[in-house]
Amino acid sequence: MSKHFFRGLLLAFGLASTAALTPALAQSYPAKPVRIIVPFAAGGPADVYARFMAQRLQDALGQSFVVDNRPGAGSVIGTDAAAKSAPDGYTLLLMSNAHTVNETLIASKPFQLMRDFVAVAPINYSDLVLVATPALPDSTLKALIADAKARPGKLNYASSGPGTPYHMAGELFKSMAGVYLVHIPYRGSSGARTDVIGGQVDVMFDAVTTMAEQVKAGKVKALATTGKQRSEVLPDVPTLHEAGVPGYEATIWLGLMAPRGTPKAVVDKLNEAVSKIAGQPEIRQLWGKQGATPMVMSPEAFDKYTREDIAKWAGVIKAAHITVD
């Protein structure tokens, strides 16, 4: 028998072995704790939902899922750490549309989202709410816009960092309303939120899921929400579209990705587990009360969704000439 016959036999055996290992890999995964890197500070929506999913993934898959907060540089620090991790399914990235924004906004970052990661599964999306410190006289969106136009550069807004959804919501508002507010970036939502409540900063966009209780407690004034329709959590608060900025819409969405090269069988198993959790009626009801809506997609559909979001924000950034402060 020729050398070519044996080479062909070995190749066929190798392919068969790989195919046989794939379901075995899926069955045995996870065999040790899984780390979820959250490139945002503790206390914000990304952190809250990462911990929520970590607990339920642990219940579903029988291994610990541990949240590892790595905030800083508008999510770049933690995301880079995730990109450099082994592609074995034991390090995941909790990402948001901050990442799709950063693809255009931060050209010099050490990774590229769709080159260095694979899409695993989306989690949910939620509206934002524009809130003002109680010390600010403006109590409506129209009053804020008039004030900002009368005193350009005198009012400011906080965000959890350059390129985050809160920053982009603010820049989109400035562009569409024709006003100038000074951007005050923080290293996370908690500090920004504290300073708006305390009166050190005038306004901020924050997730409805986090800020609704502060609104109801009277610690901040809600001027408008950012979705197409009014939030179920804050039904008396108008949308920006209703209140004076026609066509305005900005939401925050969350998902899981894994380092490029993570086995497809592992990605599929994680997607199945996340989708089952997000698809439960009681989870939909619970998140609905918080202002969040579950998202369920295959890895392929989530990949497409993420690429389209990158293109959407690239257009906004370029048209509005938005740069990192």
Side-chain angles (χ1 to χ4, degrees):
M1 294 184 184
S2 69
K3 294 186 297 182
H4 300 292
F5 173 81
F6 285 109
R7 286 178 182 172
L9 189 63
L10 288 171
L11 177 60
F13 178 77
L15 291 173
S17 298
T18 301
L21 282 171
T22 299
L25 178 63
Q27 289 174 6
S28 64
Y29 174 87
K32 61 181 181 179
V34 178
R35 178 176 58 152
I36 302 176
I37 293 182
V38 178
F40 308 102
D47 176 66
V48 169
Y49 285 109
R51 294 179 186 279
F52 182 96
M53 292 303 299
Q55 180 60 55
R56 279 149 186 82
L57 285 169
Q58 177 174 315
D59 294 342
L61 299 178
Q63 278 288 348
S64 296
F65 280 72
V66 181
V67 171
D68 181 4
N69 293 94
R70 300 279 191 98
S75 79
V76 171
I77 291 174
T79 305
D80 186 41
K84 292 175 178 174
S85 299
D88 55 8
Y90 291 96
T91 298
L92 305 175
L93 172 70
L94 190 289
M95 52 85 68
S96 76
N97 46 325
H99 290 82
T100 58
V101 167
N102 284 348
E103 285 301 285
T104 301
L105 195 63
I106 307 177
S108 60
K109 62 190 182 307
F111 59 86
Q112 292 179 22
L113 192 66
M114 306 313 292
R115 180 195 69 191
D116 297 327
F117 290 93
V118 293
V120 174
I123 296 173
N124 61 29
Y125 74 88
S126 59
D127 295 341
L128 307 180
V129 58
L130 174 60
V131 297
T133 180
L136 190 72
D138 309 323
S139 295
T140 66
L141 184 67
K142 287 185 176 178
L144 175 67
I145 292 172
D147 191 3
K149 287 183 175 179
R151 301 189 294 146
K154 298 300 182 181
L155 298 177
N156 55 45
Y157 79 98
S159 85
S160 54
T164 61
Y166 314 110
H167 174 212
M168 294 306 299
E171 292 299 315
L172 185 61
F173 168 66
K174 286 165 56 176
S175 175
M176 294 184 69
V179 298
Y180 177 62
L181 307 177
V182 177
H183 177 216
I184 309 296
Y186 287 72
R187 287 196 62 183
S189 300
S190 297
R193 195 174 300 120
T194 297
D195 282 359
V196 169
I197 292 171
Q200 286 76 34
V201 186
D202 295 318
V203 300
M204 78 173 289
F205 285 86
D206 200 1
V208 168
T209 50
T210 305
M211 191 57 84
E213 292 304 315
Q214 308 297 336
V215 172
K216 293 173 182 178
K219 294 183 179 180
V220 290
K221 296 185 289 189
L223 305 184
T225 55
T226 64
K228 290 182 178 179
Q229 300 176 338
R230 292 195 180 198
S231 169
E232 293 182 17
V233 180
L234 297 171
D236 296 330
V237 179
T239 66
L240 271 91
H241 172 79
E242 290 178 282
V245 189
Y248 185 97
E249 182 191 5
T251 61
I252 180 171
W253 58 263
L254 303 169
L256 289 172
M257 301 188 90
R260 176 70 61 181
T262 299
K264 182 69 164 58
V266 170
V267 170
D268 288 342
K269 186 169 185 176
L270 285 166
N271 178 273
E272 181 182 6
V274 172
S275 297
K276 282 183 178 179
I277 293 166
Q280 293 172 4
E282 58 268 32
I283 299 300
R284 182 173 293 275
Q285 184 178 22
L286 174 64
W287 287 357
K289 291 178 180 178
Q290 300 168 350
T293 302
M295 299 169 69
V296 176
M297 300 179 193
S298 67
E300 294 75 19
F302 186 40
D303 178 276
K304 183 174 183 288
Y305 180 89
T306 304
R307 292 178 188 277
E308 289 174 348
D309 207 57
I310 290 171
K312 167 191 168 182
W313 285 111
V316 172
I317 291 166
K318 291 171 183 176
H321 306 287
I322 299 171
T323 58
V324 176
D325 293 352

